[in-house]
Each structure stands twice: as C-alpha cells, then as structure tokens.
Amino acid sequence: MVTNLSLPQKDIVRVYRKRAAIEDIIRELKGGFAFGKTGSSSFFANKARMWISVIASNLMRLMKSIALDDQQQSWTINTFRDRLLKIGGRVSLSTPAR
C-alpha cells in the first residue's frame, strides 16, 4: 500500500478499509436507488430525491439485517430484490364457460 499518511500501519489500514466501505455504499446507492440521478432542474427536487434514496437504502439495510442470515448479508440490493421481493407470476386469460 502506497500512501502519504504519516500514521501507524494499523491506522492506515483502518482508514482505507473505512473508505472502501463508504465507496461500496455509494456504489450501491447509485446502482440500486438511482442516487446520482438528477432529473430535475430544481436543486431542492434533486436533494429530496437523494434523501428518499438514502432513506430507502437504510430501510432496505434494516430489512436485510432482519430477514437474512449471516451468509446472505453480503447480498447486493439488486440480489435482495430479485430473490426475495420480486414475486414471479403468470397472467393468464381464460374465457368463461358457456
């Protein structure tokens, strides 16, 4: 690891691990909740959209911590949605009997 920080080695590793964890959270927010999308020209509308994304992410994390075991805690938001929240179904059209 190359760095210009003048800290003990254990502290440098801790700093970079925290940074990596935050970057993973931001990547998940962008991919799973459209966190980076700014669809409005209004600053306040975009800010509200971002806050809704953060709240939705926190609720999803809470749901993951309650519903999943330790092995499944590493699932991404998309995996969690695909395997547990999206319910498959089939639509069929039948004609009434005469």
Side-chain angles (χ1 to χ4, degrees):
M1 189 179 303
V2 178
T3 183
N4 61 355
L5 295 175
S6 58
L7 297 171
Q9 290 177 354
K10 289 182 180 180
D11 292 339
I12 290 173
V13 170
R14 187 170 27 89
V15 165
Y16 279 102
R17 282 187 179 164
K18 285 182 180 180
R19 182 177 176 178
I22 293 298
E23 288 179 3
D24 288 342
I25 291 170
I26 292 171
R27 187 178 319 113
E28 192 169 71
L29 277 169
K30 285 181 176 180
F33 297 101
F35 182 74
K37 185 176 180 181
T38 54
S40 175
S41 60
S42 166
F43 173 80
F44 294 106
N46 291 329
K47 182 178 175 182
R49 180 186 180 104
M50 292 178 103
W51 273 112
I52 290 170
S53 294
V54 169
I55 292 168
S57 172
N58 287 337
L59 288 173
M60 188 70 80
R61 285 177 184 279
L62 176 65
M63 208 179 333
K64 278 175 53 176
S65 70
I66 292 170
L68 302 179
D69 60 16
D70 292 337
Q71 199 174 33
Q72 298 166 329
Q73 288 294 321
S74 64
W75 283 1
T76 64
I77 294 299
N78 290 332
T79 303
F80 182 72
R81 281 186 195 145
D82 291 344
R83 295 195 182 172
L84 295 178
L85 298 180
K86 291 182 180 177
I87 299 172
R90 181 174 57 188
V91 177
S92 61
L93 179 65
S94 60
T95 56
R98 292 183 179 194

